[in-house]
Amino acid sequence: MSSFTRIAPCPALVSSRGRGGNRSFPIFSLSFAVFHNVRIPRENLLNKTGDVAPDGRYVTPFKDPNKRFGESLGALSGGRVSITRMAQVNLKLALTVAIRFSATRRQFGPPNTEEIPVLEYQLQQWRLIPYLAAAYALEHFSKSLFMNFAEFQLGAMMKEKSERQADMGREIHALGCSSKPLGSWTAQRGIQECREACGGHGYLAMNRLGDLRNDNDPNCTYEGDNNVLLQQTSNYLLGWLSAKHRDGVRIESPFHTVDFLDHFPQILETKFTATTAEQCMDPAVSLAAYRWLVCFLLDESRRRLEEQRSEGKDDFEARNGSQVYYCRSLALAYIELCCLQRFSAQVSAEDTPAGLRPVLGQLCALYGLWSLSSHMATLYQGGYLSGRKPNELVQMAVLALCSQLKDDAVALVDAFAPPDFILNSPIGNADGQGHKVLERPSWWKEFSSDKPAVGSLRPKL
Ligand SMILES: *[C@@H]1O[C@H](CO)[C@@H](O)[C@H](O)[C@H]1NC(C)=O
Ligand SMILES: *[C@@H]1O[C@H](CO)[C@@H](O)[C@H](O)[C@H]1NC(C)=O
Ligand SMILES: *[C@@H]1O[C@H](CO)[C@@H](O)[C@H](O)[C@H]1NC(C)=O
């Protein structure tokens, strides 16, 4: 039986009538299981938040259904929180390969000069360096999220039944359901960009970029398809808004990711005020824009749902008709804001060495502006931006930051790169000499005749 797995019984099939007369047909398979007339003993129920008594009664140690729900949701988050972090592993490997390659690979240049490294091209910088910034932002974010999850998990182990424990469960659920999409999609897109940025070497199997991309890919799907998961996050945010409207509650959560929504009406009144690209390089500019964006999308999503309900649609139909452009965008904007917010706080945190603050500040500013760029239409639509200037300033600031970070890019990947034998990608070798693997060995002449005709027939790699 060594290569077969016995699929664990599904709790939904648990019989409340005890063991007597069970007939089971366990099917062994690597990929699927079929059950026919299977009864599973009541004692096998995963009964942490609810159980079935011998007489068939449902019992639960949680009196408050909200707390029970929070506990159950939080327990599902471990996988998603871990994937958010795991996805960064492949992204960092791909960036290491592509950035080292781009710093050494020379191609063309101004007339009558030597060829220049491809990383000197603005286009190459703009393609890669924002993903480098994203990798740093997500590295910190996924770590801090894991610590949040650990705090929740500790409470669960100690059988903590406070309000705060339940609130943590719900917040972790909302965070995990959107951080997993953000992490796995950023890796997916980033690895693909790295692959293309290395030209033909990018798809040469020995350089590994294709493997890294394929390895990451399933992360976009399991533990919940990214698009479907995002609904959980938007539901959480919409829930806060209606609690505020209905009961006037103060919006405040254990990890403080929604606290700003308490100032919802005032934030919606704010406008973009930067007047130079320089000013835009302060992460505070992107943070303010993101806070407005989340409030705006929250309001729009609520409006959209109400509109559909007032047309006589039921809850299912109303949600069906509110995902695209509304709830989905809302969830993504929220998680990008959370990530940016924590990165920005870390840049100025006491335990961040003063010498690192400038470069981390640039990465943070770039991550903020670059992410924000994908929401420009909404920022204009809602009147946060107006005129041609703001978009131009953001673009100028993105390019300036890419250029400022270009000289540090190799050091920034060296900081998270594994040793060469683990990276295992010749064009990504740490000494920048990896491409030599693809050239003729120094002793090739010993194997060729003196006649130049033979030598010139050899393909030049
Ligand atoms: C779960 O089931 C076990 C075994 O039946 C029982 O000892 C335990 O008290 C149950 N726990 C809860 C929380 O109901
Ligand atoms: C998910 O991502 C991690 C790291 O990028 C990778 O090792 C793993 O194989 C991926 N897929 C699965 C199915 O776990
Ligand atoms: C869901 O939305 C699509 C697109 O508007 C529509 O065609 C479909 O009928 C909707 N389904 C339900 C069950 O409301």
Side-chain angles (χ1 to χ4, degrees):
M1 280 296 131
S2 61
S3 62
F4 295 98
T5 313
R6 179 165 183 187
I7 307 293
C10 166
L13 299 174
V14 168
S15 151
S16 63
R17 273 165 282 168
R19 279 170 203 266
N22 282 355
R23 237 168 28 110
S24 65
F25 296 86
I27 306 291
F28 296 97
S29 161
L30 282 177
S31 56
F32 67 93
V34 176
F35 294 93
H36 181 64
N37 284 343
V38 181
R39 294 175 66 188
I40 293 156
R42 188 180 59 82
E43 292 77 23
N44 290 26
L45 189 73
L46 298 176
N47 63 352
K48 193 158 154 208
T49 59
D51 207 355
V52 179
D55 60 4
R57 254 178 325 113
Y58 175 74
V59 291
T60 172
F62 289 86
K63 283 180 197 76
D64 179 346
N66 275 332
K67 290 188 186 169
R68 184 171 66 242
F69 191 56
E71 184 69 28
S72 318
L73 289 181
L76 294 170
S77 298
R80 298 182 194 124
V81 169
S82 308
I83 293 172
T84 311
R85 194 145 179 74
M86 266 161 50
Q88 302 321 306
V89 175
N90 283 343
L91 176 60
K92 287 186 290 183
L93 294 177
L95 282 165
T96 303
V97 174
I99 287 177
R100 284 178 179 167
F101 175 79
S102 301
T104 52
R105 168 71 173 169
R106 290 170 180 269
Q107 190 109 58
F108 311 114
N112 308 320
T113 57
E114 267 188 61
E115 291 194 302
I116 58 169
V118 290
L119 195 56
E120 295 295 334
Y121 289 91
Q122 189 177 64
L123 187 56
Q124 188 83 350
Q125 292 169 12
W126 174 78
R127 290 170 67 190
L128 295 176
I129 296 177
Y131 282 108
L132 179 62
Y136 269 85
L138 280 157
E139 172 74 15
H140 175 66
F141 182 58
S142 59
K143 194 184 283 176
S144 74
L145 188 60
F146 184 80
M147 295 316 287
N148 294 154
F149 178 70
E151 185 183 344
F152 165 78
Q153 199 64 6
L154 205 67
M157 275 156 57
M158 309 302 272
K159 304 212 174 357
E160 177 68 54
K161 299 218 168 46
S162 62
E163 200 76 48
R164 182 182 157 81
Q165 176 71 12
D167 289 347
M168 275 200 278
R170 297 195 310 128
E171 190 174 11
I172 282 282
H173 179 65
L175 285 166
C177 287
S178 46
S179 71
K180 188 221 134 187
L182 180 65
S184 57
W185 272 335
T186 305
Q188 180 203 49
R189 291 167 194 154
I191 298 167
Q192 178 66 17
E193 198 63 65
C194 289
R195 207 291 286 148
E196 292 179 42
C198 294
H201 297 295
Y203 56 78
L204 187 63
M206 69 192 284
N207 289 322
R208 274 191 76 202
L209 289 165
D211 282 346
L212 296 177
R213 187 189 55 193
N214 292 347
D215 190 37
N216 174 69
D217 214 49
N219 284 306
C220 300
T221 301
Y222 61 68
E223 287 287 320
D225 167 80
N226 283 356
N227 281 290
V228 176
L229 274 186
L230 289 171
Q231 293 181 59
Q232 298 291 316
T233 306
S234 50
N235 287 349
Y236 174 75
L237 297 171
L238 286 157
W240 273 115
L241 191 62
S242 55
K244 176 107 194 144
H245 282 164
R246 199 181 48 230
D247 312 322
V249 300
R250 185 189 165 83
I251 302 183
E252 200 175 18
S253 62
F255 302 121
H256 307 296
T257 64
V258 293
D259 295 6
F260 72 102
L261 292 176
D262 207 53
H263 310 290
F264 177 84
Q266 297 90 308
I267 291 175
L268 278 177
E269 297 293 312
T270 60
K271 299 255 182 285
F272 184 80
T273 54
T275 51
T276 64
E278 217 88 286
Q279 287 170 6
C280 296
M281 294 184 205
D282 182 344
V285 171
S286 315
L287 279 169
Y290 260 111
R291 283 191 203 103
W292 178 90
L293 183 69
V294 173
C295 290
F296 179 74
L297 286 168
L298 184 56
D299 202 32
E300 288 288 287
S301 300
R302 177 197 56 80
R303 213 171 43 80
R304 174 83 181 169
L305 282 160
E306 277 171 14
E307 216 170 74
Q308 309 233 350
R309 286 189 189 113
S310 70
E311 287 167 14
K313 296 192 172 156
D314 66 21
D315 208 48
F316 179 90
E317 292 166 330
R319 280 182 199 279
N320 173 38
S322 310
Q323 296 304 315
V324 188
Y325 303 133
Y326 299 92
C327 298
R328 180 185 183 278
S329 312
L330 165 63
L332 282 171
Y334 160 77
I335 198 68
E336 286 164 11
L337 167 60
C338 293
C339 181
L340 180 64
Q341 167 75 56
R342 290 194 182 181
F343 191 22
S344 158
Q346 185 59 35
V347 171
S348 45
E350 247 170 52
D351 58 347
T352 301
L356 291 180
R357 279 183 202 158
V359 71
L360 291 175
Q362 287 168 338
L363 287 167
C364 181
L366 178 57
Y367 176 68
L369 294 172
W370 174 75
S371 302
L372 200 62
S373 304
S374 62
H375 303 284
M376 280 302 183
T378 314
L379 291 162
Y380 273 104
Q381 180 194 2
Y384 185 74
L385 304 179
S386 57
R388 55 185 300 156
K389 199 86 186 156
N391 191 44
E392 205 175 282
L393 295 179
V394 168
Q395 291 176 347
M396 277 161 54
V398 165
L399 292 177
L401 286 162
C402 286
S403 166
Q404 287 171 14
L405 283 161
K406 163 211 52 157
D407 291 334
D408 288 321
V410 170
L412 287 165
V413 296
D414 285 352
F416 58 49
D420 283 348
F421 85 98
I422 289 179
L423 185 62
N424 193 21
S425 170
I427 58 165
N429 278 355
D431 62 3
Q433 303 295 309
H435 53 281
K436 297 230 167 106
V437 177
L438 306 169
E439 288 172 3
R440 281 182 288 211
S442 57
W443 35 262
W444 71 276
K445 279 196 177 127
E446 292 169 32
F447 289 84
S448 97
S449 86
D450 292 329
K451 295 186 201 97
V454 178
S456 65
L457 281 177
R458 287 171 161 265
K460 200 169 174 216
L461 289 170

